[in-house]
Amino acid sequence: MDTELGEDDSANWKIVSDLLDSLFEKTEISLDEHKLHKTSNSDGFTYLDSNPTVKPSRFSVSTKPQKNFITPINNFESESYKPNLTEKPHALKSLQESLQLVPATSECPEHYLNPYSYEIMNQPYPDWILQPLPKYDSAPWSSSADDQPQIITTLEQLKTLIEDLRKSKVIGVDLEHHDFRTYHGLTCLIQITSESKVDYIVDPLAPEVRENLKLINEVFADPQIVKVLHGAFMDVMWLQRDFGVYIVSLFDTFHASKELMLGKHSLAFLLEKYVKFRTCKKYQLADWRVRPLGLELVNYAKADTHFLIEVFTKLQNELLQKGPESLTRVLYDSRKVSNRRFEYSTFKPLNQTNEVVSTMASVPLENPGEPNTSVSLSFNYNRDQPWTHLIVSSNLPLAKRPILELLFRWRDTQARASDESVRYVMSDYLLVSMVTYIDINSEVSNQLLLTIINDNSKFSNSSGFIRSKLTELRKYINEGLSELKKMDVKKWNLALGIQEETEKTTVTDNVYESVEDVEQLELDFASLTDE
Ligand code: AMP
Ligand code: MN
Ligand code: ZN
């Protein structure tokens, strides 16, 4: 190609067309190579996704599974989370002793400990874990419909599963979770692979299974059966919260990959490195409530545990080669993961620690055990209030804070009562828009609310809930606004930036009288005075 650009149109076209031809050719070669990988594994890899061009199919869930639960969901917690245990298999400390309330301190409300804490931190791991483990091969991977995991949906099957698992010295475990159409969250699948290479999928949305899952503590709390999970810090919380299940003798492959200083710490990376399996992430955010589970979802879920035991044995060998103290550190880090306790966010310690884990921020209930019905407002500034992050991220003027609080409380109560996420009830974006449009001095109409919702619907696709509650919301807002107007006029004027001539009060004296952290407050205020 010796023709210069710009010399002659037809010559230029030749350059472009040659280039395109060459690109198409390269694309075709790559596609062929890709197809080859899938079918013949010419690169030695097995692929989870046999057809990457296929998009996940869109199933929908017609009824919320919570409706069929034997013990109904109650989101109006009246006290700290109470572990849902009636028996305690493999106990060193009795159940009764483990369910003692820990008195409140200035840092932490009254709470229950993790009831397996003593066992989790003290039970020795089985002796065999300290010796190099023999080679272990996972069962060959198959995505075929004839080779599917056993699905556990009844109490009978659950009992059989427990008997099967008791024969294993080590099992692989993973969970899938849903958090959109529920307030606190919902564990949707528990995948387990036994040492004898059977893959199981426990369906905890099946009411009988959910109600009786704590029977599996027979296995999960047995120190002689090692549970291999990858990055178990959330799984540990979900198991406690939804079923009263605890893990004694956890091996967390995430902490092993950290100790070995592998370049990456994802499960996908470990699978590529140790078992030459290439996973795909396209179903990670699937709606795991769908039933029956499609083949693609089943395979995706199965891949998360199918190879875990093999990965564990390889990691264990590498850790021992590095030195026995490396393995000991991983076991200790794993104990600490298991020892975390679930707590409702409204009862969590003031300073978030690693030992406590909670779901998304909730508005504390004024009368625990009951919905927040009253319109309760304060001008008190508190960095830790659940709406503070919205004030900061949307740079809301001071005068709008009470309206934000009003809507935030409404959203939280609705979400608790209907067992929906606050995101489902009203997105943060819509909530802030409402705050922006609503003026304390004018009554809100259904029409105004509808206009705001419609303006925002291009950014969020779930406005069904709020549309169905329009009149209720309007009444609540107007009631709130009139309460607001009745409040201490001096404070309200101050909030609006109207200074009374006669009184030389400063903002810190009045509005923020409950604040200790004045420095933070002044910083905060500086960003609001441009209003
Ligand atoms: P995994 O351990 O990767 O199978 O993830 C377990 C659950 O965590 C999933 O079912 C999701 O609910 C949630 N999850 C995992 N990855 C993400 C992510 N990137 N964003 C949001 N949620 C996630
Ligand atoms: Mn997981
Ligand atoms: Zn998973």
Side-chain angles (χ1 to χ4, degrees), residues 174-178 238 281 284-285 288 300 304:
D174 186 44
L175 271 59
E176 302 303 328
H177 185 261
H178 177 84
W238 296 332
K281 287 277 127 193
Q284 190 166 47
L285 299 179
W288 290 103
Y300 179 92
D304 276 348

Side-chain angles (χ1 to χ4, degrees), residues 173-176 191 229-235 238 267 281 284 304-305 308:
V173 179
D174 186 44
L175 271 59
E176 302 303 328
Q191 305 100 288
L229 283 86
H230 183 82
F233 69 112
M234 292 303 281
D235 307 62
W238 296 332
L267 176 63
K281 287 277 127 193
Q284 190 166 47
D304 276 348
T305 59
L308 270 182

Side-chain angles (χ1 to χ4, degrees), residues 12 29 39 119 139 160 193 229-230 282 321 331 359 405 435 493 504 509-510 520:
N12 284 342
I29 292 171
T39 49
E119 290 78 6
T160 312
T193 299
L229 283 86
H230 183 82
K282 73 181 176 193
Q321 272 165 29
L331 297 182
T359 37
E405 182 178 339
V435 177
N493 284 346
K504 286 266 176 280
D509 286 342
N510 247 336
Q520 174 60 38

Side-chain angles (χ1 to χ4, degrees), residues 115-248:
Y116 271 100
S117 192
Y118 186 78
E119 290 78 6
I120 288 166
M121 296 312 292
N122 295 292
Q123 283 279 27
Y125 280 80
D127 291 339
W128 57 257
I129 209 170
L130 299 171
Q131 303 305 319
L133 291 172
K135 192 170 181 312
Y136 177 97
D137 292 318
S138 314
W141 178 257
S142 157
S143 310
S144 141
D146 307 325
D147 201 0
Q148 289 308 295
Q150 292 195 29
I151 314 268
I152 309 295
T153 56
T154 66
L155 176 57
E156 209 55 38
Q157 292 167 337
L158 178 65
K159 287 179 173 167
T160 312
L161 166 70
I162 292 168
E163 284 316 304
D164 284 355
L165 294 179
R166 285 178 60 171
K167 296 170 199 142
S168 293
K169 295 191 300 298
V170 52
I171 60 175
V173 179
D174 186 44
L175 271 59
E176 302 303 328
H177 185 261
H178 177 84
D179 64 10
F180 190 51
R181 302 296 311 275
T182 152
Y183 187 72
H184 282 305
L186 208 55
T187 303
C188 296
L189 293 188
I190 302 176
Q191 305 100 288
I192 301 177
T193 299
S194 72
E195 193 179 8
S196 54
K197 307 179 191 183
V198 182
D199 299 309
Y200 297 92
I201 291 185
V202 181
D203 179 1
L205 298 181
E208 245 184 30
V209 172
R210 181 180 163 98
E211 193 67 13
N212 293 290
L213 224 132
K214 52 170 132 11
L215 293 175
I216 214 168
N217 280 329
E218 188 56 57
V219 173
F220 279 44
D222 185 344
Q224 290 301 316
I225 303 175
V226 172
K227 272 67 62 176
V228 182
L229 283 86
H230 183 82
F233 69 112
M234 292 303 281
D235 307 62
V236 157
M237 165 181 105
W238 296 332
L239 287 170
Q240 293 180 28
R241 182 198 63 199
D242 291 359
F243 320 113
V245 169
Y246 297 83
I247 303 180
V248 179

Side-chain angles (χ1 to χ4, degrees), residues 76-80 346-347 364-372 416:
F76 295 102
E77 59 267 8
S78 56
E79 54 170 11
S80 298
T346 48
F347 290 98
L365 295 161
E366 249 125 59
N367 303 305
E370 292 166 32
N372 280 333
R416 285 181 191 265

